[in-house]
């Protein structure tokens, strides 16, 4: 009846968020500070809202209002964003977007917070402002935390930690190590949690900041409660409260009282648990932090339940339940319903207790399944990160080794150059000519070495594709020929499968043709012979090549390409691109279907669209089309085979010709391949 395991898990949610909030005292002081700065700016004779300093102060004021004046924060963030966009002030725009993400995080609108974070991250200039970048990844990690997406939380926090390490930002190093410790504490991985907490504790000693030390002691107290190290937990709490005697830190003092409430719950000391939770709520009610407020009310309800004060317990848990519903927090809903079940059961209200039990069990089953999936994906994320870290370390070591070699070569070259200069000063013209020839030969050798490296890389890629895409058809052909030669009924089987063999061989031939052209281009260093191409003339030739397949499936081809439309491209690669696209359109269009080819001008490009009424694709399949890591292919409407090579080749050649390619498709409605190439407007 008095189980607190759910509360333990939920407490970590607000333990994570509260660290990333400034304290009530500092927030109020900071708000006043920036309000005064803005007032002084506004009073200046030549004041303009377009001044970057004004925008910066507006963003700072907005940030410090996120817990105590969220309506004002919204207004100030909107104004800062508007002014930043108007004046092309990138840093101001990014800070305003980050403030929106923080605002919606604390109002419980997690999806909005994630949207603003992702919108900020999409801006490539974000890397120029590491503090803003760390702030955004931190908020994004918290948002995923609230959605129980711990692998994503882990990834975002690690990203922020890596930036802090690169910039040697001591505060963010402390913040992210503490946050990562909280994640692993949530996942009941005490070893990992202690590792990150230990790193954070070392950093807090360097920072010499009693406020942050109090944070660490509160978190360590919680972890020790979880590990049943109650004596250590009590020591942590006593040390934290001693620090609060010298610092004015209402926010963390409230959360530390909540931790002490959890400590007394663990001891079944419900009276002191009530006192501590009530103190925590009295302090915390000044802040608009929905989830944390819900968690404190939940703890108070558990304490009243332990005292058998069912009326007060029910009053607190109903308030907690409403807050959990408003933030759509399923783990909180489960524990609230379970507590209501216990209350109703104690009140002998059987029907109501069964209703809450049913809700509890349903949420419990759902959450259990989600937890299992989450833990597996978290483990996978952790392993992937460790693997990436190892690879990065190896790459860095290799790069360092190469740099050392370059330094040696540079010194050797410098020495050689000095000797050459000396010789040039005192030698005759013949020696000068000889030195010049040697320099040219060295340059040619270097260029040849680069070309050889490129050829080797392309060769590896070519063999990979050949081994992956052509091996299967060749094996099938070999098996049927073996059957023909070795089995008395082999001839009959051979004649039966001969049409299919013919189609397989034609597909192999088509693939080989693609490979040979692509391989030839790659081996020549990816050079392209750009010329003006009449699009309609070339597409007419390609359609003529496929006239038998088109007639066989009774497909109607609408060639709407304007006769005067031309592009700049490599002719051979242009033909390969549209042979593949038209071949695919024929393959995946059913009998009596329609293929439409059209062109239109877009800026300085010509857009060529190949549209079919075929089987179409799902969004997932579209994303796999051009992937270099996945081999995606399907059978055509008449069971024509594909290798998955063509479209990758198409994309490579479109890019080689300074173009772009995209796809629009819906299942059973057809597909549209859109190619943009530089237009010849002469």
């Amino acid at each position: 009846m008095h189980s607190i395991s759910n509360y333990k898990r939920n407490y970590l949610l607000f333990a994570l968020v509260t660290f990333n909030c400034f304290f009530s005292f500092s927030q109020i002081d900071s708000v006043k500070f920036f309000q005064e700065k803005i007032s002084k700016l506004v009073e200046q004779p030549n004041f303009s809202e377009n001044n970057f300093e004004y925008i910066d102060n507006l963003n700072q004021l907005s940030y410090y209002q996120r817990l105590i004046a969220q309506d004002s924060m919204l207004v100030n963030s909107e104004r800062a964003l508007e002014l930043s966009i108007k004046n092309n002030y990138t840093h101001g725009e990014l800070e305003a977007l980050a403030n929106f993400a923080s605002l919606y995080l604390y109002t419980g609108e997690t999806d909005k917070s994630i949207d603003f974070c992702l919108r900020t991250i999409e801006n490539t200039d974000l890397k120029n402002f590491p503090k803003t970048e760390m702030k955004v990844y931190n908020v994004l990690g918290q948002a995923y935390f609230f959605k129980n997406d711990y692998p994503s939380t882990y990834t975002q926090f690690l990203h922020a930690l890596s930036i802090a390490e690169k910039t040697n930002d001591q505060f963010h190093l402390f913040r992210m190590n503490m946050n990562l410790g909280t994640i692993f504490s949530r996942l009941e991985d005490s070893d990992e949690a202690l590792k990150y907490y230990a790193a954070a504790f070392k950093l807090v000693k360097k920072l010499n900041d009693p406020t942050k030390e109090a944070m660490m002691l509160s978190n360590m107290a919680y972890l020790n409660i979880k590990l049943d190290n109650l004596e250590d937990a009590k020591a942590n709490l006593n040390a934290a409260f001693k620090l609060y005697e010298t610092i004015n830190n209402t926010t963390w003092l409230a959360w530390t009282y909540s931790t002490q409430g959890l400590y007394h719950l663990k001891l079944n000391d419900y009276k002191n648990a009530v006192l501590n939770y009530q103190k925590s709520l009295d302090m915390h009610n000044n802040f608009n932090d929905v989830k944390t407020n819900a968690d404190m009310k939940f703890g108070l309800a558990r304490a009243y339940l332990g005292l058998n004060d069912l009326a007060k317990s029910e009053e607190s848990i109903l308030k907690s339940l409403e807050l959990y519903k408003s933030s759509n927090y399923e783990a909180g809903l489960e524990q609230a319903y379970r507590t209501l079940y216990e209350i109703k059961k104690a009140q002998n209200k059987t029907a109501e207790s069964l209703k809450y039990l049913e809700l509890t069990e349903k949420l419990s089953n759902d959450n259990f399944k989600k937890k299992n999936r989450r833990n597996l994906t978290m483990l996978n994320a952790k392993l992937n990160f460790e693997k990436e870290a190892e690879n990065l370390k190896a790459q860095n070591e290799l790069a360092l080794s190469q740099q050392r070699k370059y330094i040696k070569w540079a010194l050797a070259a410098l020495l050689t150059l000095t000797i050459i200069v000396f010789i040039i000063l005192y030698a005759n013209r013949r020696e000068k000519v000889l030195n010049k020839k040697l320099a040219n030969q060295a340059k040619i050798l270097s260029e040849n070495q680069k070309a050889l490296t490129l050829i080797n890389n392309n060769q590896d890629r070519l063999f990979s594709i050949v081994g992956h895409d052509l091996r299967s058809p060749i094996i099938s052909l070999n098996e049927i020929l073996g059957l023909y030669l070795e089995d008395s009924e082999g001839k009959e089987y051979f004649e039966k499968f001969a049409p299919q063999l013919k189609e397989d061989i034609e597909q192999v031939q088509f693939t080989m043709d693609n490979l040979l052209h692509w391989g030839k281009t790659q081996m020549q260093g990816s050079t392209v012979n750009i010329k003006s191409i009449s699009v309609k003339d070339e597409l007419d030739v390609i359609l003529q090549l496929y006239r038998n397949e088109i007639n066989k499936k009774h497909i109607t081809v609408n060639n709407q390409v304007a006769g005067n439309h031309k592009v700049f491209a490599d002719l051979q690669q242009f033909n390969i691109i549209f042979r593949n696209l038209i071949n695919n359109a024929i393959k995946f269009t059913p009998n009596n279907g329609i293929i439409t080819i059209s062109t239109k001008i877009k800026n300085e490009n010509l857009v060529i669209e190949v549209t079919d009424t075929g089987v179409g694709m799902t969004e997932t399949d579209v994303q796999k089309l051009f992937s270099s890591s996945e081999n995606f292919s399907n059978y055509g409407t008449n069971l024509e085979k594909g290798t998955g090579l063509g479209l990758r080749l198409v994309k490579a050649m479109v890019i080689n010709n300074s173009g772009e390619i995209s796809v629009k498709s819906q299942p059973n409605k057809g597909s549209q391949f859109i190619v943009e190439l530089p237009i010849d407007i002469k």
Side-chain angles (χ1 to χ4, degrees):
M1 177 177 179
H2 306 306
S3 169
I4 59 170
S5 59
N6 285 331
Y7 180 73
K8 281 183 178 180
R9 296 196 303 270
N10 200 45
Y11 174 82
L12 281 159
L13 289 173
F14 71 78
L16 174 64
V17 175
T18 56
F19 167 68
N20 294 289
C21 306
F22 284 177
F23 324 112
S24 58
F25 176 76
S26 62
Q27 282 219 325
I28 294 170
D29 277 2
S30 297
V31 168
K32 290 180 179 178
F33 174 77
F34 286 106
Q35 284 175 338
E36 290 174 0
K37 285 194 69 175
I38 290 172
S39 295
K40 290 179 181 178
L41 284 172
V42 172
E43 291 170 0
Q44 292 178 0
N46 298 323
F47 168 72
S48 170
E49 283 190 335
N50 298 323
N51 185 286
F52 287 179
E53 184 181 359
Y54 173 75
I55 297 173
D56 287 339
N57 281 285
L58 201 59
N59 271 323
Q60 289 293 330
L61 174 61
S62 172
Y63 180 71
Y64 287 108
Q65 289 174 325
R66 67 193 185 282
L67 282 180
I68 59 178
Q70 292 174 344
D71 290 339
S72 298
M73 179 184 184
L74 178 61
V75 173
N76 289 329
S77 295
E78 288 174 343
R79 187 58 181 155
L81 181 60
E82 179 185 351
L83 291 172
S84 297
I85 294 173
K86 175 184 174 182
N87 293 283
N88 294 320
Y89 182 33
T90 303
H91 189 206
E93 180 182 349
L94 294 171
E95 276 290 324
L97 291 172
N99 284 341
F100 274 113
S102 296
L103 171 66
Y104 291 120
L105 177 71
Y106 296 118
T107 58
E109 299 173 88
T110 312
D111 290 332
K112 279 189 178 182
S113 178
I114 291 173
D115 288 342
F116 273 99
C117 286
L118 295 178
R119 179 177 167 185
T120 311
I121 291 169
E122 285 174 1
N123 193 315
T124 55
D125 291 324
L126 181 62
K127 294 188 180 299
N128 298 326
F129 312 102
K131 288 190 181 296
T132 306
E133 188 177 13
M134 286 184 285
K135 185 201 303 188
V136 172
Y137 279 109
N138 181 41
V139 173
L140 184 57
Q142 293 177 62
Y144 282 129
F145 194 91
F146 286 142
K147 293 176 72 69
N148 292 332
D149 185 352
Y150 298 103
S152 295
T153 301
Y154 182 55
T155 302
Q156 307 312 319
F157 284 170
L158 284 176
H159 197 131
L161 180 62
S162 68
I163 299 169
E165 289 171 345
K166 289 177 184 176
T167 58
N168 196 28
D169 188 314
Q170 296 295 304
F171 170 71
H172 280 94
L173 281 171
F174 164 68
R175 165 184 273 186
M176 302 323 302
N177 274 293
M178 187 167 167
N179 283 358
L180 285 163
T182 303
I183 291 176
F184 284 104
S185 185
R186 168 68 176 88
L187 296 174
E188 300 178 358
D189 188 341
S190 301
D191 291 338
E192 286 291 307
L194 287 170
K195 180 182 77 173
Y196 284 110
Y197 277 158
F201 208 78
K202 287 181 181 178
L203 289 161
V204 82
K205 291 295 186 183
K206 291 181 181 179
L207 292 171
N208 194 25
D209 186 334
T211 297
K212 295 179 179 62
E213 187 173 353
M215 296 178 189
M216 278 305 308
L217 288 167
S218 295
N219 276 348
M220 291 299 293
Y222 168 76
L223 186 58
N224 279 317
I225 293 171
K226 181 180 177 183
L227 296 172
D228 287 328
N229 299 330
L230 299 184
E231 290 185 7
D232 291 339
K234 184 60 177 174
N236 295 143
L237 288 168
N238 289 339
F241 281 118
K242 186 174 181 180
L243 286 171
Y244 291 129
E245 294 175 1
T246 61
I247 57 176
N248 188 354
N249 187 339
T250 307
T251 305
W252 265 92
L253 179 59
W255 293 313
T256 307
Y257 273 122
S258 183
T259 306
Q260 186 155 269
L262 178 63
Y263 168 78
H264 287 297
L265 273 181
K266 188 74 173 181
L267 294 174
N268 295 331
D269 183 357
Y270 302 115
K271 186 176 293 185
N272 279 320
V274 167
L275 291 174
N276 280 278
Y277 279 123
Q278 194 58 60
K279 284 182 182 179
S280 177
L281 278 167
D282 291 342
M283 294 178 182
H284 186 265
N285 280 334
N286 295 324
F287 302 97
N288 298 317
D289 187 348
V290 176
K291 288 186 174 63
T292 305
N293 199 277
D295 297 335
M296 291 178 176
K297 286 182 171 60
F298 172 79
L300 185 61
R302 296 301 306 181
Y304 277 128
L305 184 59
L307 292 172
N308 204 30
D309 190 339
L310 301 181
K312 289 184 178 180
S313 180
E314 185 174 1
E315 180 184 356
S316 292
I317 201 64
L318 288 174
K319 291 178 182 178
S320 174
L321 181 63
E322 288 305 311
L323 292 172
Y324 285 138
K325 286 180 178 178
S326 70
S327 58
N328 196 28
Y329 179 53
E330 293 180 353
L333 288 172
E334 177 192 342
Q335 64 186 16
Y337 284 136
R338 188 175 298 279
T339 301
L340 278 168
Y341 157 70
E342 294 178 25
I343 292 170
K344 295 301 178 183
K345 184 178 178 182
Q347 292 173 342
N348 294 320
K349 295 181 179 180
T350 306
E352 291 186 58
S353 68
L354 290 176
K355 179 185 74 172
Y356 287 121
L357 179 61
E358 184 179 349
L359 289 171
T360 301
E361 292 304 319
K362 183 180 184 305
L363 281 170
S364 177
N365 290 335
D366 292 344
N367 291 337
F368 179 75
K369 293 175 183 177
K370 290 177 182 177
K371 179 182 178 182
N372 286 340
R373 289 195 297 269
R374 178 180 69 236
N375 288 343
L376 287 173
T377 52
M378 182 66 186
L379 177 61
N380 186 52
K382 182 180 177 182
L383 292 174
N384 286 338
F385 179 79
E386 290 174 351
K387 183 178 179 181
E388 289 175 6
E390 290 176 1
N391 291 338
L392 182 60
K393 182 180 178 182
Q395 291 172 5
N396 289 338
E397 289 176 353
L398 178 61
L400 184 61
S401 175
Q402 289 176 337
Q403 287 174 1
R404 288 170 181 162
K405 290 179 181 178
Y406 293 152
I407 291 172
K408 291 179 181 178
W409 292 343
L411 291 173
L414 181 61
L415 179 60
T416 303
L417 182 61
T418 303
I419 295 172
I420 292 173
V421 170
F422 179 78
I423 293 173
I424 290 174
L425 291 173
Y426 296 97
N428 56 33
R429 184 177 180 181
R430 181 181 176 185
E431 290 172 335
K432 292 180 181 179
V433 172
L434 179 60
N435 288 333
K436 186 175 181 181
K437 288 182 179 179
L438 288 173
N440 289 335
Q441 289 176 354
K443 182 178 179 181
I444 292 170
L445 180 62
S446 176
E447 291 174 353
N448 288 341
Q449 184 178 2
K450 292 179 181 178
L452 181 61
T453 301
L454 181 60
I455 289 171
N456 286 337
N457 291 338
N458 288 332
Q459 177 179 284
D460 291 341
R461 187 174 182 187
L462 181 63
F463 282 132
S464 174
I465 294 172
V466 170
H468 184 273
D469 292 331
L470 299 184
R471 189 168 179 265
S472 178
I474 297 299
I475 290 174
S476 299
L477 177 60
N478 182 59
E479 289 177 352
I480 294 178
L481 287 175
L483 184 66
Y484 177 81
L485 295 173
E486 298 169 7
D487 194 307
S488 60
E489 298 179 357
K491 183 176 182 181
E492 180 181 345
Y493 283 109
F494 182 83
E495 291 175 351
K496 179 179 179 181
F497 291 105
Q500 182 63 43
L501 277 174
K502 184 176 182 298
E503 291 183 8
D504 287 346
I505 293 172
E506 288 175 349
Q507 183 61 37
V508 169
Q509 181 180 358
F510 182 75
T511 304
M512 286 296 298
D513 191 39
N514 279 340
L515 278 172
L516 290 172
H517 283 95
W518 178 70
K520 180 181 177 182
T521 303
Q522 296 298 308
M523 296 298 287
Q524 291 175 347
S526 300
T527 58
V528 291
N529 182 19
I530 300 297
K531 61 185 292 186
S532 179
I533 299 172
S534 173
V535 176
K536 182 171 176 57
D537 291 346
E538 294 304 322
L539 292 182
D540 284 342
V541 172
I542 293 172
L543 289 170
Q544 188 65 20
L545 290 174
Y546 290 106
R547 65 185 184 279
N548 290 336
E549 288 82 353
I550 293 170
N551 293 336
K552 182 179 178 181
K553 297 181 78 171
H554 304 289
I555 293 173
T556 300
V557 178
N558 296 327
N559 189 351
Q560 300 174 359
V561 177
N564 62 338
H565 281 173
K566 297 180 180 181
V567 295
F568 284 115
D570 182 286
L571 179 59
Q572 186 179 57
Q573 294 188 13
F574 178 90
N575 284 321
I576 292 172
I577 290 167
F578 287 98
R579 277 181 60 195
N580 276 280
L581 294 181
I582 291 172
N583 179 63
N584 278 353
I586 295 169
K587 182 190 301 183
F588 295 107
T589 299
N591 294 340
N592 301 309
I594 299 172
I595 297 174
T596 302
I597 307 174
S598 61
T599 55
K600 62 183 179 183
I601 297 173
K602 178 183 176 183
N603 298 330
E604 297 180 357
N605 290 335
L606 184 67
V607 180
I608 307 170
E609 299 175 346
V610 180
T611 307
D612 63 62
T613 58
V615 296
M617 294 170 284
T618 64
E619 242 182 82
T620 303
D621 289 343
V622 169
Q623 293 173 358
K624 295 178 182 177
L625 282 181
F626 302 115
S627 172
S628 60
S629 60
E630 295 187 62
N631 187 46
F632 175 74
S633 64
N634 276 330
Y635 284 97
T637 55
N638 287 356
L639 299 181
E640 302 97 328
K641 290 184 178 179
T643 65
L645 169 67
L647 289 177
R648 281 180 285 171
L649 175 59
V650 165
K651 182 176 181 180
M653 289 189 170
V654 168
I655 293 173
N656 282 347
N657 286 273
S658 302
E660 296 179 1
I661 184 169
S662 58
V663 184
K664 296 179 181 179
S665 186
Q666 292 184 12
N668 302 318
K669 291 187 178 181
S671 301
Q672 182 181 62
F673 286 79
I674 305 163
V675 178
E676 294 185 31
L677 292 171
I679 191 170
D680 178 6
I681 57 176
K682 293 181 180 179

